[in-house]
Amino acid sequence: MTKRIDKIKQKVEAEGEVFVSDLSRLYNVTEETIRRDLEKLKNEGVVTRTYGGAMLNTTLQSDRVHFSKRRAINLEAKKKIAKLVAREFGDARTIMVDNSTTVIEAIKLIKDNRNITAISFSAQIFQELDETNMMLVSTGGIYDERTRSFYGSLAKENIRKYNVDVALLGCKGLDMTNGISDSSEGEADLKAEMSSRAASVVVLADHSKFGQTAFVNFLHWDMVNCLITDEKPDDEWVEFCNRMNIRLIYE
């Protein structure tokens, strides 16, 4: 059992997310056995349980999962969210965007709009949009190869120069009490600054982020204008968004 758990731990650290059904077939054991393994890893603080599987603990995720691995996690959900963003905010004139993989999927769908100016600390966005009609503005700063983004005081200072229509922000966790959180303090600081410069703050989060809390809180609910997700959350979340006057959009 210990050997199997060690392999599961290595797999989730490499891929960011695992599923009970896949692990059951891979190790030729029952799904109930896999659930017990995941529960043990949860108790050790390695994973956070999700519907049908587990994700690398959100407080560890940024440090252990490279950008190229993160972008494959819940990819279909991210693409659903991206389509909704393009539909609702594709005609915005000025936007700020972070380095989350969900935001990048959205930007790819509106890149041909020459009327949009996008400001970002993500180097990956500039690589993805090598051929684009939109105007791209980099914050500059210290480059982090692991996250493929810039950070630091220069990036924050440059964000403060601009006022935009919309800020598109990803996150690692959504909690009704604690607000919106991320696993990296440096990135969270820049996201908070972006939210203060936007007329409309739009949070993008797939279903696995609901009820989760990551290392750093960067946004209170009273700053959020819109929340876009891939599927309808439970009634408690729907009521919460209504109470907070947050526009909730899902497929």
Side-chain angles (χ1 to χ4, degrees):
M1 180 181 73
T2 302
K3 186 176 181 180
R4 183 181 63 248
I5 290 178
D6 287 342
K7 289 182 177 179
I8 293 173
K9 181 179 178 181
Q10 292 171 5
K11 187 175 181 64
V12 74
E13 287 180 348
E15 299 178 7
E17 184 175 25
V18 292
F19 297 95
V20 171
S21 56
D22 294 341
L23 295 174
S24 174
R25 289 191 296 269
L26 180 62
Y27 298 113
N28 195 29
V29 295
T30 66
E31 291 191 359
E32 185 58 35
T33 296
I34 294 298
R35 290 190 188 96
R36 287 196 294 268
D37 290 346
L38 294 178
E39 195 65 26
K40 179 175 175 59
L41 291 176
K42 174 187 173 183
N43 293 337
E44 292 177 358
V46 176
V47 303
T48 298
R49 292 299 308 275
T50 62
Y51 181 77
M55 295 183 68
L56 187 66
N57 191 320
T58 51
T59 61
L60 303 175
Q61 191 170 7
S62 179
D63 292 333
R64 295 190 179 183
V65 182
H66 192 278
F67 178 91
S68 59
K69 296 288 186 180
R70 281 195 295 120
R71 69 182 309 168
I73 300 172
N74 283 350
L75 181 58
E76 289 307 311
K78 292 171 183 176
K79 288 183 176 181
K80 289 180 181 179
I81 294 171
K83 290 179 181 178
L84 295 173
V85 172
R87 185 189 75 190
E88 300 292 332
F89 298 98
D91 59 350
R93 301 301 296 269
T94 54
I95 59 176
M96 285 187 178
V97 293
D98 66 14
N99 67 333
S100 71
T101 53
T102 305
V103 168
I104 287 178
E105 289 298 322
I107 290 297
K108 286 161 63 176
L109 297 183
I110 61 176
K111 68 178 183 178
D112 292 327
N113 189 337
R114 65 178 65 253
N115 294 320
I116 296 178
T117 297
I119 302 162
S120 182
F121 59 85
S122 170
Q124 183 64 28
I125 281 184
F126 292 88
Q127 181 176 330
E128 293 282 353
L129 306 185
D130 185 40
E131 296 182 4
T132 180
N133 289 321
M134 73 168 60
M135 175 77 73
L136 294 174
V137 179
S138 172
T139 65
I142 302 170
Y143 180 64
D144 183 346
E145 190 279 335
R146 177 178 48 81
T147 61
R148 294 184 183 173
S149 62
F150 298 97
Y151 68 97
S153 58
L154 177 60
K156 189 172 182 178
E157 181 181 337
N158 284 334
I159 290 172
R160 288 175 178 160
K161 295 179 181 178
Y162 301 98
N163 299 300
V164 298
D165 298 327
V166 178
L168 299 177
L169 306 174
C171 66
K172 294 295 192 301
L174 302 174
D175 183 85
M176 293 182 190
T177 302
N178 296 318
I180 297 91
S181 55
D182 205 273
S183 56
S184 166
E185 188 169 5
E187 292 175 22
D189 194 34
L190 296 182
K191 293 182 183 190
E193 194 63 46
M194 283 184 162
S195 69
S196 72
R197 310 308 303 175
S200 183
V201 176
V202 182
V203 174
L204 315 184
D206 66 62
H207 62 277
S208 68
K209 309 295 175 58
F210 285 75
Q212 304 296 325
T213 301
F215 184 54
V216 185
N217 295 328
F218 70 89
L219 195 60
H220 296 293
W221 288 109
D222 57 6
M223 290 285 291
V224 179
N225 301 103
C226 181
L227 173 59
I228 303 181
T229 187
D230 58 308
E231 60 185 47
K232 183 180 179 181
D234 62 34
D235 291 342
E236 186 179 9
W237 275 100
V238 174
E239 293 170 5
F240 175 79
C241 288
N242 287 335
R243 189 166 66 251
M244 296 300 297
N245 198 29
I246 295 169
R247 185 182 177 200
L248 176 62
I249 301 174
Y250 50 86
E251 189 173 72

